[in-house]
Amino acid sequence: MRKRVIAGNWKMNKVLSEANDFIEEVAEKAPQSEKSEAVVCAPFPFLPSLLEKTKGTDIKIGAQNMHHEDKGAFTGEVSPVMLKDLGVSHVVLGHSERREHFAETDESVNKKVHAAFNHQLTPIVCVGETLEQREADETKDHVEKQVTKAVEGLSDDQVASTIIAYEPIWAIGTGKTASSEEANEVCTHIRNVVGKITSQETADQVVIQYGGSVKPANIDELLSQSDIDGALVGGASVEADSYLQLVEAGT
Ligand code: PEP
């Protein structure tokens, strides 16, 4: 039985006082459940405070990116060692905004996924097609290529612990959501791809999230699908009230 994972991605939003207000409310009100996990992926400067305020709760704190090297001359970067040392548990890797604005590639994502596992961080690996690719019927091939490269060289156990977020780029921050059937079709394909690379047993363990304009009004329908095990949420995760509703839907 796969656990649901509801992850919020604040992107580059909030100041520290707002981050603290959010997490205090969420730590107090978030429902606890064996069946699901709530993760908040926040900007680096807020991580120590969020970790402090969620001590003793089930809420997990994640980063939105990291470098693949442990340390060195990489001005402005943050390493997996630093994240692990703080107590971070998850890290979003290969978000389409990082691929688009910061030249991340399938190769660099793969290096980061390995680095995450080297430091016991759970990677949330984002894959997804552009509108042009969808219209050209290239979605499945594109996503297959991204997933295959992202997990290249991992052990089956590591693949089983990887969270894959299917995020069609045309649905991110646009208010357009893939229909739950469309989203599930690609998530099923992703599971089959993982099965081909590893084994059916491994594929059955992989948590696959959908992301792209998920909100309290559409999350139930998305989570009712056979291969959607959670959500990676941008806009609707920034306010505590709406994030709490999303977490509740996962329980
Ligand atoms: C995201 O940032 O990963 C995302 C899915 O954003 P939104 O929910 O705002 O579309």
Side-chain angles (χ1 to χ4, degrees):
M1 176 76 175
R2 295 184 293 270
K3 229 182 192 183
R4 280 183 176 160
V5 181
I6 309 295
N9 169 21
W10 288 356
K11 311 195 186 191
M12 195 172 71
N13 288 297
K14 293 193 187 292
V15 293
L16 183 59
S17 58
E18 293 166 338
N20 285 339
D21 288 349
F22 173 108
I23 210 69
E24 280 167 13
E25 185 175 348
V26 167
E28 187 194 321
K29 297 184 183 164
Q32 306 216 343
S33 163
E34 301 273 283
K35 287 191 299 180
S36 81
E37 191 157 75
V39 187
V40 176
C41 300
F44 296 128
F46 308 152
L47 295 174
S49 181
L50 298 180
L51 285 157
E52 182 62 35
K53 288 179 185 296
T54 49
K55 261 193 197 143
T57 75
D58 287 343
I59 298 157
K60 300 281 195 294
I61 301 299
Q64 299 173 9
N65 176 43
M66 65 178 195
H67 198 276
H68 67 271
E69 293 283 354
D70 287 1
K71 62 178 180 176
F74 300 103
T75 302
E77 290 292 313
V78 168
S79 79
V81 175
M82 296 172 191
L83 296 179
K84 187 64 194 171
D85 181 57
L86 284 179
V88 164
S89 56
H90 292 68
V91 58
V92 177
L93 297 176
H95 191 283
S96 59
E97 288 154 13
R98 295 217 49 92
R99 293 178 192 256
E100 184 185 347
H101 304 303
F102 302 95
E104 293 209 3
T105 62
D106 291 342
E107 285 70 26
S108 62
V109 171
N110 177 249
K111 284 185 185 161
K112 292 179 184 204
V113 171
H114 279 272
F117 280 115
N118 287 341
H119 297 286
Q120 299 81 45
L121 295 163
T122 300
I124 302 178
V125 178
C126 303
V127 299
E129 80 286 2
T130 62
L131 188 56
E132 293 70 37
Q133 287 168 322
R134 175 158 281 262
E135 285 172 352
D137 202 18
E138 292 167 3
T139 298
K140 287 187 181 168
D141 285 352
H142 178 68
V143 164
E144 177 159 355
K145 190 171 137 276
Q146 288 182 313
V147 169
T148 304
K149 187 66 198 178
V151 303
E152 191 178 271
L154 296 182
S155 68
D156 283 10
D157 282 352
Q158 289 171 331
V159 175
S161 309
T162 302
I163 298 175
I164 300 175
Y166 167 55
E167 300 207 310
I169 295 169
W170 49 271
I172 296 179
T174 58
K176 287 186 198 150
T177 320
S179 72
S180 49
E181 290 79 17
E182 275 172 336
N184 193 53
E185 192 182 334
V186 182
C187 292
T188 302
H189 180 63
I190 290 172
R191 200 174 303 287
N192 291 338
V193 168
V194 172
K196 226 167 37 177
I197 299 169
T198 58
S199 64
Q200 191 56 48
E201 195 193 339
T202 300
D204 286 340
Q205 293 175 64
V206 175
V207 169
I208 302 177
Q209 298 174 315
Y210 168 78
S213 299
V214 176
K215 43 188 181 284
N218 60 20
I219 192 165
D220 287 340
E221 172 69 18
L222 288 158
L223 292 181
S224 71
Q225 298 294 316
S226 57
D227 282 301
I228 299 180
D229 309 316
L232 179 58
V233 188
S237 75
V238 177
E239 298 307 325
D241 175 37
S242 131
Y243 177 71
L244 281 165
Q245 290 180 55
L246 297 166
V247 171
E248 179 80 49
T251 61

